[in-house]
Amino acid sequence: MQLTNQQTLPVSQVQAWEALNDISLLQAAMPGCESITPTGENQYEVLVTAAIGPVKAKFKGKLKLADLDPPNAYNIQFEGQGGAAGHAKGTAAVRLEPAGPHSTVLHYTANATVGGKIAQIGSRLVDMAAQKMATEFFETFNAKLAERYAPAPEPAAAVAEPAAAAAPVKKG
């Protein structure tokens, strides 16, 4: 299976890079992700529940970031086991391209192979499930980026009090 696409992110290239390396943000954006745990430098253990066609399984996998070129690109190597449901293994290339002061285009190409029951479902359903997960990830990821990096609201102008109200009242 190969999945190639691009997404426009509503942040600068540096902010996009920071977000793509923020475990809590990635976990919140990834559909079905239960945990991402660092196991070494640029290495993680991931627990994800995924439904691919009629097969739903909990996958325990490993992610490794390689060829890091901050804030431009990195490669991801992944493999996961879903018990009787099967297994997956692959790579993804991620590249960031600035498109303005508050806009970055993320290009990605993922290649994966699957085995077990997942492979028996058929490549069309596997491809559709992968595309659906990518779409859901980027919808959530972009929303989280907008929350985190939204421009600060303009401070409200101070309301001037009338001078008469501020003057002491003489009692006589």
Side-chain angles (χ1 to χ4, degrees), residues 22-107:
D22 180 329
I23 294 171
S24 62
L25 190 128
L26 293 174
Q27 182 176 334
M30 193 180 308
C33 185
E34 295 178 23
S35 66
I36 300 177
T37 308
T39 58
E41 187 172 350
N42 299 316
Q43 296 182 49
Y44 306 90
E45 188 171 273
V46 181
L47 190 59
V48 176
T49 299
I52 302 169
V55 178
K56 183 174 182 180
K58 189 173 284 201
F59 289 86
K60 185 174 186 177
K62 295 179 182 177
L63 283 178
K64 181 179 180 182
L65 304 181
D67 306 319
L68 277 77
D69 177 20
N72 303 305
Y74 60 49
N75 291 320
I76 303 169
Q77 300 164 357
F78 58 89
E79 59 182 68
Q81 296 289 331
H87 59 275
K89 184 175 185 174
T91 60
V94 177
R95 182 173 56 86
L96 298 174
E97 177 185 323
H102 303 291
S103 185
T104 301
V105 179
L106 181 149
H107 302 270

Side-chain angles (χ1 to χ4, degrees), residues 122-155:
S123 62
R124 189 166 155 260
L125 279 178
V126 172
D127 290 351
M128 286 173 35
Q131 184 61 54
K132 180 177 184 255
M133 286 181 75
T135 299
E136 288 176 13
F137 170 82
F138 282 110
E139 285 173 358
T140 305
F141 189 68
N142 278 341
K144 298 279 184 196
L145 290 177
E147 277 176 30
R148 177 181 283 189
Y149 297 108
E154 295 286 325

